[in-house]
């Protein structure tokens, strides 16, 4: 087993390589997602532990560094999931002992505006998400570049998501006073709503209103637009 | 050396091995409660010595704590602490009775094994103990190893003992843990399946069990006043037991229905491969021989008791938390048959024993004292289990790995969020000198200067909560077993040890 796992030196070398190559807008995805010891070493770019690489949003990330333990037992190959989302390897894989490091171009649409601008992170559906915690019954207004598509995500934080028999939490989304969409969160999961924006001014006001008869569950949301 | 002397030697050896390797074993959540119970019962014992009538009148006050388990084992913890704490320290004094029960498992398994061969007698307890999970449980001041021992003891008494001895041992089992409720039906069915002469003899033995509740009554002073209410509370607690979240193949199980083969699959994944394979083969062999009516009385009883230990956890509604600890008797009662298989199949018993035990010895050397994290070869070890989405750890005992770091770095009076470590265990660590007395127990990451987070799937929200509170995502220290995060320590920026 020790031969299949990275040493401290492997981690330090991989972190050093990232320090010399990473640039703003990059992020590091560890794989398997449990290999979070990387947090002790990697400081050159935000470190993500997404579990579904094909579906993860990677908001604002253009280049993703895949830092993986390819010989870890039962670890699935992450490259297929990245290819499935249209990502392509940007260069050859580098090896640091039992660690592999490879940059991937996500070919993601360019970020137009981060509407929720969250500094905090919360766990929803077992993944730390950069989202804004909002009390039920409250609303948040934001102004930003409209772009082409509004992406909206929301979910119940932590274990309360698994409370049974609770009414849904409903988020109504408005732009310039007109309704854009409604997302109902009726249980666990990071719920998604992507809406094509009607043509109009480049800068717009957005409003997210959260309501539910049950106000006790911690709730967070994230919204952004892409061109 | 006689057979009994050999069994005694293995028994003492086991207890000594536990005593010698216990200091690094953390206090599991339940131990914290049992230590607190033992302290309360010890206070009652002191009162009994000084003012017996007052003590008899105040059983409710001292014995109501941890009413959900009978008194015997905690009474032994209290007595041991009363007698030995000044010479061996608090922790070891509380745990000494548990080591005695670990020794009894070896003793009784050796006796059961020796009915096949002397080599099987030696190998049976070794097969049981040479796995980090069972070895770890042997150290704890809890009830799982004691009830496993008492199940084996009742088996030996039923096969070889007289009525009074059987009644006494079953009384001790009943006074240990509620798993004992399942033993009389097994003994009855066992008796009914025997040949006529044996059947009559065993059916005559069975009524002795009616005396066993007297032992329960004698060793559990809580029952001395209002016994029916307390018995009702005891039974109701276990028939309405809460379900704790449990991570299993990528899914957090929160309530019934649980997977049918959960206990068998878990055994296969956590035990060293040779031992898992041997115990499986032993179970199959016993079942096949049962179907062919080739089981003698002892093997039939071993099959029955092993089945009774594990089948309740295959009902799909019984709480499944706690790894394999709740059905340890299943492994123990299959061990003599597994030992016999090794002796019969291997070219030489020593070579067979070596092949069977070495992976388990390596597992112990590699993982101890973090027993709740141990996984065997079938799971791909600890990282393989993490990839498969299995429970990483439970009971919070792994926190011992980071206590020296906290002691070295925390400034005086620092507030530490210990996450799953309950207040009782935190106090026990301070009492044992493993944690500085000035460090304060913080209720949440927000109110803390340091956080020692235990990786649990169902508590993943604690880590981002700590990042938000501290403004950093970089751990200061941690316990990583084969790269898998177990306990992650964060320090508030500006505090000693912060990265």
């Amino acid at each position: 087993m020790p031969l299949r796992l990275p040493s401290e030196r492997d981690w330090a070398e991989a972190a050093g390589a990232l320090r010399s190559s990473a640039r703003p807008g990059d992020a590091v995805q560890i794989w398997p997602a449990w290999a979070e010891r990387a947090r002790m070493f990697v400081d050159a770019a935000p470190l993500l532990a997404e579990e579904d690489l094909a579906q993860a949003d990677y908001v604002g990330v253009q280049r993703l560094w895949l830092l993986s333990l390819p010989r870890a037992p039962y670890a699935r190959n992450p490259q297929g999931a990245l290819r499935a989302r249209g990502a392509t390897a940007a260069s050859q894989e580098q090896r640091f002992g039992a660690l592999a490091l490879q940059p991937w171009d996500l070919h993601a649409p360019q970020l137009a505006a981060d509407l929720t601008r969250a500094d905090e992170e919360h766990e929803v559906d077992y993944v730390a998400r950069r989202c804004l915690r909002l009390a039920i019954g409250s609303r948040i207004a934001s102004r930003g570049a409209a772009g082409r598509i509004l992406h909206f995500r929301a979910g119940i934080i932590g274990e309360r998501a698994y409370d049974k028999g609770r009414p849904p939490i409903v988020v109504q989304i408005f732009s310039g006073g007109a309704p854009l969409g409604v997302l109902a969160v009726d249980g666990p999961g990071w719920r998604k709503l992507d809406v094509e924006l009607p043509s109009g001014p480049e800068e717009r006001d957005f409003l997210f209103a959260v309501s539910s008869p049950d106000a006790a569950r911690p709730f967070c949301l994230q919204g952004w637009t892409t061109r | 050396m006689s057979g009994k002397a050999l069994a005694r030697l293995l028994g003492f050896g086991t207890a000594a091995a536990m005593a010698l390797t216990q200091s690094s074993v953390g206090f599991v959540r339940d131990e914290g409660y049992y230590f607190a119970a033992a302290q309360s019962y010890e206070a009652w014992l002191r009162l009994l010595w000084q003012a017996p009538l007052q003590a008899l009148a105040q059983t409710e006050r001292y014995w109501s704590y941890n009413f959900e388990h009978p008194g015997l084992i905690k009474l032994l913890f209290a007595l041991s602490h009363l007698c030995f704490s000044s010479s061996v320290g608090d922790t070891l004094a509380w745990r000494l009775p548990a080591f005695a029960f670990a020794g009894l498992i070896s003793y009784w398994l050796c006796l059961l094994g020796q009915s096949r061969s002397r080599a099987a007698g030696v190998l049976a307890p070794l097969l049981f103990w040479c796995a980090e999970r069972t070895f770890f449980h042997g150290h704890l001041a809890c009830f799982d190893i004691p009830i496993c021992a008492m199940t084996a003891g009742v088996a030996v008494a039923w096969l070889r003992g007289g009525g009074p001895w059987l009644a006494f041992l079953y009384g001790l089992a009943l006074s240990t843990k509620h798993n004992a409720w399942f033993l009389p039906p097994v003994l009855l069915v066992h008796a009914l399946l025997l040949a006529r002469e044996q059947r009559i003899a065993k059916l005559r033995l069975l009524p002795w069990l009616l005396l066993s509740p007297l032992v329960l009554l004698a060793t559990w002073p809580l029952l001395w006043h209002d016994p029916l209410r307390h018995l009702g509370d005891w039974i109701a607690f276990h028939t309405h037991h809460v379900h704790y979240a449990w991570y299993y193949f990528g899914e957090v199980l929160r309530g019934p229905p649980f997977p049918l083969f959960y206990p068998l699959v878990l055994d296969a994944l956590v035990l060293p491969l040779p031992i898992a394979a041997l115990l499986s083969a032993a179970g199959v062999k016993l079942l096949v021989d049962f179907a062919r009516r080739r089981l003698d009385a002892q093997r039939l009883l071993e099959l029955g008791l092993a089945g009774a230990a594990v089948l309740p956890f295959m009902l799909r509604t019984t709480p499944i938390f706690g790894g394999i600890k709740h059905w340890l008797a299943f492994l123990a009662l299959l061990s003599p048959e597994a030992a016999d298989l090794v002796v019969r199949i291997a070219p030489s018993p020593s070579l067979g024993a070596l092949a069977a035990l070495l992976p388990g010895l390596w597992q112990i050397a590699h993982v101890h004292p973090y027993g709740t994290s141990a996984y065997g070869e079938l799971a791909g070890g600890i990282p393989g289990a993490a990839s498969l989405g299995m429970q990483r750890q439970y009971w919070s005992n792994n926190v011992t790995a980071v206590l020296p770091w906290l002691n070295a770095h925390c400034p005086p009076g620092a507030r530490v969020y210990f996450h799953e470590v309950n207040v009782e265990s935190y106090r026990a660590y301070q009492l044992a000198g493993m944690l500085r007395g000035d460090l304060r127990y913080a209720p949440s990451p927000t109110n803390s200067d340091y956080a020692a987070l235990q990786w649990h799937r169902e508590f993943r929200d604690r880590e981002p909560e700590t990042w938000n509170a501290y403004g950093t995502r970089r751990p200061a220290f941690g316990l990583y077993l084969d790269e898998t995060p177990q306990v992650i320590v964060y320090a508030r920026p500006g505090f000693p040890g912060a990265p």
Side-chain angles (χ1 to χ4, degrees):
Chain A
M1 187 65 72
L3 297 175
R4 303 173 73 168
L5 299 172
S7 65
E8 199 139 315
R9 185 177 164 180
D10 299 340
W11 281 116
E13 286 179 359
L18 278 165
R19 244 174 253 131
S20 63
S21 307
R23 55 182 187 238
D26 285 3
V28 180
Q29 165 71 48
I30 48 170
W31 194 260
W34 54 256
E36 290 186 90
R37 191 170 179 231
R39 294 191 192 283
M40 302 275 285
F41 301 90
V42 174
D43 51 10
L47 196 140
L48 306 171
E50 293 280 356
E51 297 186 342
D52 184 347
L53 304 196
Q55 298 296 322
D57 286 318
Y58 296 127
V59 180
V61 177
Q62 289 298 322
R63 190 168 63 159
L64 187 72
W65 292 86
L66 182 66
L67 180 58
S68 63
L69 282 66
R71 295 203 291 265
Y74 297 121
R76 283 175 288 122
N77 183 349
Q79 298 175 342
L82 287 174
R83 285 195 190 98
R85 62 180 296 141
T88 53
S91 70
Q92 288 292 310
E93 185 180 87
Q94 291 174 270
R95 287 283 180 146
F96 303 95
L99 283 174
L101 180 66
Q102 188 173 31
W104 287 73
D105 281 331
L106 292 181
H107 305 298
Q110 195 188 351
L111 182 72
D114 179 358
L115 299 175
T116 36
R117 297 181 199 94
D119 286 331
E120 63 209 72
E121 290 189 49
H122 298 284
E123 177 264 310
V124 179
D125 202 23
Y126 305 116
V127 174
R129 323 247 179 207
R130 194 171 284 276
C131 58
L132 202 61
R133 183 170 174 172
L134 216 58
I136 308 293
S138 63
R139 57 185 60 193
I140 174 179
S142 180
R143 185 171 177 79
R148 198 170 65 83
I149 296 178
L150 168 74
H151 307 272
F152 181 73
R153 308 287 182 263
I156 301 166
I157 300 169
E159 281 295 282
R160 297 297 305 274
Y162 298 89
D163 288 357
K164 286 184 178 162
R166 301 284 181 174
I169 298 171
V170 177
V171 186
Q172 292 173 290
I173 306 162
F174 301 89
S175 173
L180 268 185
V182 176
L183 183 69
V185 179
D186 56 0
W190 188 230
R191 304 303 176 94
K192 301 188 172 190
L193 180 69
D194 296 312
V195 185
E196 196 156 338
L197 290 167
S199 56
E202 173 60 16
E203 285 278 317
R204 287 189 218 178
D205 291 315
F206 293 90
L207 184 77
F208 306 96
V210 184
S211 63
S212 173
D214 174 17
R217 288 165 294 172
F219 184 75
C220 81
L221 51 82
Q222 183 182 23
W224 72 99
T225 54
T226 52
R227 297 191 193 281
Chain B
M1 190 185 287
S2 73
K4 277 202 169 181
L6 178 65
R8 274 196 294 272
L9 184 69
L10 283 167
F12 282 119
T14 303
M18 298 301 163
L20 290 171
T21 51
Q22 73 86 32
S23 63
S24 59
V25 176
F27 306 133
V28 300
R29 281 180 70 81
D30 289 12
E31 262 189 319
Y33 301 127
Y34 305 151
F35 289 164
Q39 283 173 303
S40 178
Y41 304 173
E42 187 180 333
W44 180 83
L45 288 170
R46 289 181 194 278
L47 183 67
L48 185 68
W49 179 253
Q50 289 156 0
L53 289 178
Q54 204 182 334
L56 294 179
Q58 294 189 15
T59 52
E60 190 97 17
R61 181 182 156 198
Y62 290 92
W63 286 81
S64 288
Y65 185 80
N66 199 244
F67 68 92
E68 62 266 31
H69 291 294
L72 173 67
I73 304 301
K74 290 168 287 180
L75 179 63
L76 293 176
F77 299 157
L79 276 168
S80 175
H81 189 263
L82 192 64
C83 299
F84 303 117
S85 60
S86 55
S87 48
V88 300
D90 296 297
T91 315
L92 184 54
W94 276 318
R95 283 177 166 172
L96 279 175
F99 305 157
F101 281 102
L104 282 172
I105 289 182
S106 291
Y107 175 77
W108 279 319
L109 290 187
C110 181
L111 291 186
L112 290 171
Q114 281 185 54
S115 69
R116 279 104 163 165
S117 67
R118 194 173 170 88
V122 175
L123 195 52
L126 292 176
L127 284 175
F128 178 78
W129 288 116
C130 279
E132 172 55 14
R133 293 267 181 162
T134 51
F135 185 67
F136 168 80
H137 283 292
H139 294 82
L140 306 179
C142 291
F143 312 127
D144 305 298
I145 285 295
I147 191 59
C148 176
M150 292 318 304
T151 305
V154 168
V156 173
W158 175 254
L159 291 167
R160 304 175 191 180
W165 181 239
L166 173 70
F168 177 65
L169 279 192
Y170 179 64
L172 293 181
L174 199 56
S175 310
T176 298
K177 205 178 174 198
H178 57 283
N179 303 48
W181 299 344
F182 299 104
L183 300 185
V186 176
L187 300 183
L188 173 63
V189 173
H190 180 256
L192 293 174
L193 289 174
L194 293 174
R196 190 170 180 277
E197 272 185 26
Q198 282 181 305
R199 185 191 318 148
I200 291 167
K202 291 300 177 197
L203 287 175
R204 283 184 180 151
L205 205 55
L206 210 53
W208 281 98
L209 296 184
L210 294 172
L211 294 177
S212 299
L214 293 176
V215 181
L216 177 74
L217 190 67
T219 57
W220 198 3
L222 184 64
L223 300 182
W224 296 354
H225 299 287
D226 207 356
L228 289 180
R229 178 169 67 86
H230 292 305
L231 283 172
D233 290 346
W234 175 38
I235 293 166
F237 183 90
H238 297 288
T239 50
H240 300 89
H241 201 291
V242 65
H243 296 283
Y244 300 119
W246 200 258
Y247 197 32
Y248 183 72
F249 285 109
E251 191 185 346
V252 178
L253 306 176
R254 292 185 172 77
F258 298 114
L260 178 64
F261 295 108
Y262 168 81
L264 305 183
V265 172
L266 198 62
D267 283 338
L269 291 180
V270 305
L271 293 173
L273 185 56
I275 292 178
L278 280 166
L279 293 177
S280 305
V284 170
K285 179 93 168 46
L286 287 172
L287 281 171
V288 168
D289 286 356
F290 174 70
R292 291 177 177 172
R293 296 171 181 263
R294 284 184 189 168
L295 288 184
D296 62 20
Q298 180 181 320
R299 293 176 71 221
L300 179 64
L301 183 63
E302 287 169 1
L303 176 64
L305 289 174
V310 78
L311 285 175
F313 298 93
M314 296 173 74
L315 294 175
R316 311 193 69 192
T317 52
T318 311
I320 55 162
F321 61 88
I324 63 169
K325 76 189 186 86
H326 289 141
W327 58 83
L328 287 171
F330 170 66
L331 309 179
L333 270 297
L334 290 179
S335 296
E337 184 73 11
D340 187 46
L341 283 176
V342 175
V343 172
R344 282 166 186 264
I345 294 167
S348 90
S350 326
L351 270 180
L354 211 61
L357 301 176
L358 266 181
L361 289 170
W362 160 248
Q363 191 187 47
I364 290 171
H366 184 55
V367 182
H368 192 72
Y370 311 117
T372 65
S373 303
Y375 281 90
E377 292 79 2
L378 208 56
I382 300 171
S387 296
L388 290 171
M390 303 300 292
Q391 184 81 16
R392 189 76 52 88
Q393 61 187 322
Y394 55 95
W395 263 358
S396 81
N397 53 288
N398 288 357
V399 80
T400 50
V402 305
L403 297 182
W405 189 94
L406 290 170
N407 289 331
H409 290 86
C410 292
R415 303 166 302 165
V416 183
Y417 174 60
F418 282 103
H419 192 194
E420 273 290 275
V421 179
N422 58 16
V423 173
E424 289 82 357
S425 297
Y426 153 79
R427 287 189 186 126
Y429 286 126
Q430 291 189 322
L431 196 64
M434 297 167 79
L435 181 68
R436 273 173 29 206
D438 63 291
L439 297 184
R440 290 178 289 160
Y441 189 88
S444 72
T446 314
N447 303 313
S448 67
D449 308 313
Y450 294 84
L453 306 176
Q454 283 107 74
W455 199 101
H456 278 245
R457 184 71 168 173
E458 72 275 24
F459 299 136
R460 293 299 287 141
D461 52 336
R462 294 292 184 273
E463 197 163 7
E465 195 182 336
T466 307
W467 298 342
N468 297 338
Y470 288 10
T472 179
R473 289 164 180 76
R474 190 164 187 189
F477 187 67
L479 168 67
Y480 298 88
L481 293 178
D482 288 342
E483 290 301 316
T484 61
Q486 304 282 333
V487 185
I488 309 115
V489 177
Y490 285 91
R492 202 177 272 278
F495 276 72

